[in-house]
Amino acid sequence: MRAVETLLHARWVIPVEPHATVLEHHTVAIDEGRIEAIVPQAEARQSFQARSEVELDRHALIPGLVNAHTHAAMTLLRGIADDLPLMEWLQRHIWPAEQQWVSEQFIHDGTQLAMAEMLRSGTTCFNDMYFFPEITARTAASAGMRVCAGMILIDFPTAYAGGPDEYFAKGLALQDEYKHHPLVRCSFAPHAPYTVSDAPLRRVQVLADELELPVHMHVHETAGEISDSLRACGQRPLQRLHDLGLLSPSLMAVHMTQLTDAERQLVADSGATVVHCPESNLKLASGFCAVQKLLDAGINVALGTDGAASNNDLDMLGELRSAALLAKAVQGDASALPAPEALRMATLSGARALGLGEAIGSLQAGKWADITAVDLGAVETRPLYNPISQLVYAAGREQVSDVWVAGHHLLKNRQLTQLDMADILQRAHTWQGRIAAADAAPHST
Amino acid sequence: MRAVETLLHARWVIPVEPHATVLEHHTVAIDEGRIEAIVPQAEARQSFQARSEVELDRHALIPGLVNAHTHAAMTLLRGIADDLPLMEWLQRHIWPAEQQWVSEQFIHDGTQLAMAEMLRSGTTCFNDMYFFPEITARTAASAGMRVCAGMILIDFPTAYAGGPDEYFAKGLALQDEYKHHPLVRCSFAPHAPYTVSDAPLRRVQVLADELELPVHMHVHETAGEISDSLRACGQRPLQRLHDLGLLSPSLMAVHMTQLTDAERQLVADSGATVVHCPESNLKLASGFCAVQKLLDAGINVALGTDGAASNNDLDMLGELRSAALLAKAVQGDASALPAPEALRMATLSGARALGLGEAIGSLQAGKWADITAVDLGAVETRPLYNPISQLVYAAGREQVSDVWVAGHHLLKNRQLTQLDMADILQRAHTWQGRIAAADAAPHST
């Protein structure tokens, strides 16, 4: 008998690699935070002795979901101003609120609220872009959650930094502090083509190549972004990024609702990742990202929720479903983005984009034990003909029962083990009072 | 002190009429199954004496959701064959399974499963179209749920009836049996323009006018339906229905993804209702229904999930969210289908389409007490700036805590009071075994 820390005995294991595979009555053995083996239950019960065993006899185990685009702390602005045209939403509500409220405490409290929601819906890793990323990194690490903290970069001064030099200095200090941390990775996070000038963008790519880090950026989110760029510099943003050397395997281009065939080919040739955020694109009327065409071109497509102010949740299981449904309509083909492809987008493709494809994103011996258990026993997922289909098209976030990150049991039978829910709710309530009182056109009651 | 049966003391009451209204700290008083009054809590505690009082201090009360298009019993086929082109899905999986399995027992068991899911997600009334509607009606009534049972009509013979005459005879017997029942209403349910001939359609309209009943029909679901009709009879289906006299206030035209401007005007002039099923339209790649344009034309638009085989759930709260998100992208305007409009679609507009606008669909004194309570206290709906926005964009089905139909407490703190969950799950499991074994191209594991 080999001694291991934990055995998870599951009705189904959906490892994502190999693709579209469902293992029945298998066990995941975990030791020192990593997956030791995945074997049939009968074999596991004979071969391993574990300090802890979990029976998951109505559950599917999947790789922890990777949310490839968040602004976690913005969860404190969830629902502050909905149903407004994009520019009114940004200029009259979101930007003024950010200018007034964003601080280290705001980031800490908002990130904890976001993590509570993300863990409760099966997400184990999030790729964040926001101010004070060192607070995001510290808050995530102290809760045991995996994060890629974006070294935010924007031309204009904010409460966080006075200009490009200070953004770089703070970002690089963050990267230096966390470069050997098992849970924290850093990315460069230049906000968007229209908010970052050529010189800092060139510097991003030099540093990204040197440090082997991803570059996380909003690109081609709306038609207006394209026409503004054509007016300002005579180029579409993607062409400008290409000329600046940013189209590379390290790029995570978020949204990409506006692409010509030639641009799609350019992205495919570059090895860049597209991060698809379907619910944000719908809610802000940004346009439709042609996901199946991207996949057909061989592009790595990851999935993100965007911030809770434009979604309004951080539920990757729901986002997965929205992506799979929407792709069919956009492609005009009910067989587009089938369930196993959607699940891979929400796990392994995100991991690969972050440079973590060998560490997380699928259930494989040797990878970190970042695992989500979904209880498929409820009426909402019965009868059950195909577990992957059921996960994508019928399961709800409330069916996520347990979550492990690096072998640590962070959600246990729907209870958070590392985060204090009452405290998080109390702090959200305090922020709500302040923010609602100050919002230019309050909707609060 | 006036004696009443029940007092619901709620943090928020969202009555839908008046539009976009939120009442804070109000009480709904219920007596003899109907809403007696809606008054501030302090006043209610002084004025009423109740046998039962329910404290809902983190909850919003809304009218019970009206699912305006279901095939409830098809829930037993949930997920049997996903990600397939429409015709392969229908011809190789759904139709063969229906031919083999549809029976009175199938309808009973499938309808109970569907009702369990619907009640758990806040739906109090469903407008159904399927075989053996008398079983659907009886099963719903015995569980205390409100239903509109469709008198199904189709040219070809099925296990239920041999041809139009028998469909009419069975339907009219059903209508006669239930015409005074407080929970059951009937509609004519000719399946679609392409499956019902002119003569029976003319007869439907004569009878619908005489009996003052709705006509529930799939119309303009796909582009293929239009081109097939042009080939077969030289007319678009809507024009044919118009010529046959079916465009009237009694018509509930389901899907309507393919409409010219002139057709939209025709529908508006007729007073017919469009039933929008966004998730089914997406999943089957049927096309996009231009909801905001329909509303702008003054058309009554209701909301439905369609059957669980093409959705794959019966969650109206989720459907409401999908509708509100999708309408913005389709309209190219982030202010399209705002949250209060979406909520009205899912409640009062459905009630009106069924001819029940004076009986249900909003929280008003004198209407039936069909009420859903949603707990907005969870992290997923915090902070909370606007309860209607939070309901539509952030709340999940699991936050539905309680449901009343005609004053009966059918869901109590998430527990069903009239349906036996263990029995329903066991029967779903038995059907799953049979159906999976026989499916032509099984996905079952």
Side-chain angles (χ1 to χ4, degrees):
Chain A
M1 300 278 275
R2 272 154 75 193
V4 292
E5 277 162 17
T6 309
L7 293 177
L8 311 181
H9 305 297
R11 176 67 183 86
W12 300 281
V13 176
I14 302 170
V16 172
E17 284 180 301
H19 186 59
T21 299
V22 178
L23 306 171
E24 294 202 65
H25 303 293
H26 269 56
T27 295
V28 179
I30 301 173
D31 202 49
E32 296 188 347
R34 291 179 184 273
I35 296 170
E36 177 76 17
I38 302 176
V39 293
Q41 281 186 27
E43 187 186 327
R45 291 182 205 270
Q46 289 191 329
S47 314
F48 293 105
Q49 193 162 30
R51 244 179 295 161
S52 134
E53 300 194 35
V54 186
E55 303 291 338
L56 298 158
D57 56 1
R58 301 177 312 187
H59 302 64
L61 292 181
I62 58 174
L65 300 168
V66 177
N67 191 338
H69 183 57
T70 61
H71 310 289
M74 287 184 81
T75 309
L76 289 173
L77 303 177
R78 186 205 311 275
I80 196 179
D82 292 317
D83 301 322
L84 297 175
L86 181 64
M87 280 301 128
E88 185 181 343
W89 174 73
L90 273 175
Q91 294 172 351
R92 294 196 46 198
H93 299 274
I94 299 300
W95 290 344
E98 287 184 326
Q99 197 166 9
Q100 183 163 12
W101 300 112
V102 168
S103 64
E104 297 198 359
Q105 192 65 42
F106 180 96
I107 304 301
H108 171 271
D109 295 350
T111 301
Q112 280 206 339
L113 177 66
M115 288 195 301
E117 183 183 352
M118 287 193 276
L119 288 169
R120 278 161 56 93
S121 49
T123 294
T124 53
C125 175
F126 62 108
N127 180 40
D128 204 64
M129 176 196 283
Y130 212 57
F131 306 104
F132 301 97
E134 64 277 17
I135 306 295
T136 311
R138 191 190 311 156
T139 307
S142 76
M145 199 166 171
R146 198 176 297 284
V147 68
C148 181
M151 298 177 272
I152 183 79
L153 172 64
I154 198 162
D155 278 348
F156 48 83
T158 61
Y160 173 61
D165 285 346
E166 193 178 353
Y167 287 105
F168 274 110
K170 289 191 164 174
L172 292 169
L174 168 69
Q175 148 68 10
D176 203 53
E177 181 181 349
Y178 283 99
K179 65 187 167 194
H180 300 303
H181 196 288
L183 291 174
V184 178
R185 183 166 170 79
C186 292
S187 69
F188 289 93
H191 172 264
Y194 56 92
T195 50
V196 187
S197 309
D198 289 359
L201 282 179
R202 276 200 203 89
R203 190 167 166 205
V204 160
Q205 193 59 43
V206 169
L207 289 166
D209 289 342
E210 183 186 321
L211 299 168
E212 295 184 341
L213 294 181
V215 177
H216 177 197
M217 190 176 200
H218 301 104
V219 185
H220 284 212
E221 181 171 3
T222 64
E225 175 186 339
I226 316 285
S227 54
D228 286 353
S229 174
L230 284 168
R231 249 196 316 275
C233 69
Q235 276 189 316
R236 289 167 65 92
L238 202 72
Q239 186 60 47
R240 178 171 153 245
L241 294 181
H242 181 57
D243 294 350
L244 291 167
L246 267 82
L247 284 199
S248 85
S250 55
L251 181 63
M252 301 177 73
V254 182
H255 298 310
M256 298 287 260
T257 68
Q258 319 286 324
L259 284 184
T260 63
D261 288 346
E263 284 172 335
R264 197 156 31 239
Q265 194 53 52
L266 197 65
V267 174
D269 294 342
S270 75
T273 287
V274 170
V275 181
H276 178 39
C277 301
E279 295 183 4
S280 171
N281 294 163
L282 292 173
K283 185 155 185 285
L284 299 177
S286 306
F288 296 103
C289 175
V291 173
Q292 187 60 52
K293 284 190 183 175
L294 297 175
L295 294 171
D296 290 344
I299 295 168
N300 186 52
V301 182
L303 189 71
T305 57
D306 207 342
S310 62
N311 185 312
N312 294 348
D313 64 41
L314 303 174
D315 172 12
M316 279 287 285
L317 210 49
E319 201 77 26
L320 188 54
R321 182 169 187 265
S322 293
L325 294 180
L326 185 62
K328 294 165 178 48
V330 168
Q331 187 76 8
D333 176 358
S335 66
L337 196 56
E341 291 269 7
L343 184 61
R344 188 167 56 188
M345 256 172 66
T347 54
L348 188 58
S349 302
R352 284 183 177 155
L354 294 171
L356 296 172
E358 303 301 310
I360 59 167
S362 63
L363 301 182
Q364 294 281 306
K367 284 196 172 184
W368 287 111
D370 289 14
I371 304 175
T372 290
V374 184
D375 181 352
L376 297 177
V379 287
E380 287 77 8
T381 41
R382 291 290 156 143
L384 193 155
Y385 298 100
N386 177 330
I388 300 182
S389 170
Q390 214 72 329
L391 259 172
V392 171
Y393 296 117
R397 63 189 178 192
E398 76 282 5
Q399 292 176 263
V400 171
S401 65
D402 295 81
V403 170
W404 293 262
V405 175
H408 293 285
H409 206 163
L410 300 190
L411 185 76
K412 198 169 180 172
N413 200 15
R414 299 243 4 100
Q415 299 303 309
L416 295 166
T417 63
Q418 302 299 308
L419 290 165
D420 179 342
M421 187 77 100
D423 182 53
I424 287 172
L425 286 169
Q426 181 53 51
R427 279 178 290 121
H429 189 69
T430 303
W431 281 108
Q432 174 188 320
R434 287 180 201 149
I435 293 169
D439 184 43
H443 292 239
S444 172
T445 57
Chain B
M1 300 278 277
R2 274 153 72 194
V4 291
E5 277 161 18
T6 308
L7 293 178
L8 312 180
H9 304 297
R11 177 66 184 84
W12 300 280
V13 176
I14 302 170
V16 173
E17 283 180 301
H19 185 59
T21 299
V22 178
L23 306 170
E24 294 201 65
H25 302 293
H26 270 56
T27 296
V28 179
I30 301 172
D31 202 49
E32 297 189 348
R34 292 180 183 272
I35 296 169
E36 178 76 17
I38 302 176
V39 293
Q41 280 186 27
E43 187 186 326
R45 292 182 205 270
Q46 288 192 329
S47 314
F48 293 105
Q49 193 162 31
R51 245 179 293 160
S52 133
E53 301 194 35
V54 186
E55 303 289 339
L56 298 158
D57 55 2
R58 301 178 311 187
H59 302 65
L61 292 182
I62 58 173
L65 300 168
V66 177
N67 191 338
H69 183 58
T70 61
H71 311 288
M74 287 184 82
T75 309
L76 288 173
L77 303 176
R78 186 206 310 276
I80 195 178
D82 292 317
D83 301 322
L84 297 174
L86 181 63
M87 280 300 127
E88 186 181 342
W89 175 72
L90 273 175
Q91 294 171 353
R92 294 194 47 199
H93 299 275
I94 298 300
W95 290 343
E98 287 184 327
Q99 196 165 8
Q100 183 163 11
W101 299 113
V102 168
S103 65
E104 297 198 0
Q105 192 64 43
F106 180 97
I107 304 301
H108 172 270
D109 295 351
T111 302
Q112 281 206 338
L113 177 65
M115 288 195 301
E117 182 183 353
M118 287 194 275
L119 288 168
R120 279 160 56 93
S121 48
T123 294
T124 54
C125 176
F126 62 109
N127 179 40
D128 203 64
M129 177 196 284
Y130 211 57
F131 306 104
F132 301 95
E134 63 276 16
I135 307 296
T136 311
R138 192 189 311 155
T139 307
S142 76
M145 198 166 172
R146 198 177 298 283
V147 68
C148 181
M151 298 178 273
I152 183 78
L153 172 64
I154 197 162
D155 279 348
F156 48 83
T158 60
Y160 173 60
D165 285 345
E166 194 178 350
Y167 287 104
F168 274 110
K170 289 192 165 174
L172 292 170
L174 168 68
Q175 149 68 10
D176 203 52
E177 182 181 348
Y178 284 98
K179 64 187 167 195
H180 301 302
H181 196 286
L183 292 173
V184 178
R185 184 165 166 78
C186 292
S187 68
F188 289 94
H191 171 264
Y194 56 92
T195 50
V196 188
S197 309
D198 288 1
L201 283 178
R202 276 199 203 91
R203 190 168 167 203
V204 160
Q205 193 59 43
V206 169
L207 289 166
D209 288 343
E210 182 186 320
L211 299 168
E212 297 185 339
L213 294 180
V215 177
H216 178 197
M217 190 177 199
H218 300 105
V219 184
H220 284 211
E221 180 170 3
T222 64
E225 175 186 339
I226 315 284
S227 54
D228 287 352
S229 174
L230 284 168
R231 249 196 315 276
C233 70
Q235 277 188 313
R236 289 167 67 91
L238 203 71
Q239 186 60 47
R240 179 170 152 247
L241 295 181
H242 181 58
D243 293 352
L244 291 168
L246 266 84
L247 284 199
S248 84
S250 54
L251 181 64
M252 301 178 72
V254 181
H255 298 312
M256 298 286 260
T257 68
Q258 318 287 325
L259 285 183
T260 64
D261 287 347
E263 284 172 335
R264 197 157 31 240
Q265 194 54 52
L266 198 65
V267 173
D269 293 343
S270 75
T273 287
V274 170
V275 181
H276 178 40
C277 301
E279 294 183 5
S280 170
N281 295 162
L282 291 174
K283 185 154 184 286
L284 300 176
S286 306
F288 296 104
C289 175
V291 174
Q292 186 61 50
K293 284 191 184 176
L294 297 175
L295 294 171
D296 289 345
I299 296 168
N300 186 50
V301 182
L303 190 71
T305 58
D306 208 342
S310 62
N311 185 313
N312 294 352
D313 65 40
L314 303 173
D315 172 11
M316 279 288 285
L317 210 49
E319 201 76 28
L320 187 55
R321 183 168 187 266
S322 294
L325 294 180
L326 184 61
K328 293 165 178 49
V330 169
Q331 187 75 7
D333 176 359
S335 66
L337 197 58
E341 292 269 7
L343 183 61
R344 188 167 57 186
M345 257 172 64
T347 54
L348 189 58
S349 302
R352 285 184 176 155
L354 294 171
L356 296 173
E358 302 302 310
I360 59 167
S362 64
L363 303 181
Q364 294 280 307
K367 284 196 172 183
W368 288 110
D370 288 14
I371 304 174
T372 290
V374 184
D375 181 352
L376 297 177
V379 286
E380 287 78 8
T381 40
R382 291 290 156 143
L384 192 155
Y385 298 101
N386 177 330
I388 300 182
S389 169
Q390 214 72 329
L391 260 172
V392 171
Y393 296 117
R397 62 189 179 194
E398 77 281 5
Q399 292 176 263
V400 171
S401 65
D402 296 81
V403 170
W404 293 262
V405 175
H408 293 284
H409 206 162
L410 300 190
L411 185 76
K412 198 169 181 172
N413 200 16
R414 299 247 358 103
Q415 299 303 309
L416 295 166
T417 63
Q418 302 299 311
L419 291 165
D420 179 342
M421 187 78 104
D423 182 53
I424 288 173
L425 286 169
Q426 181 52 51
R427 280 178 290 122
H429 190 70
T430 302
W431 281 108
Q432 173 188 322
R434 286 180 203 149
I435 294 168
D439 185 43
H443 291 240
S444 173
T445 58

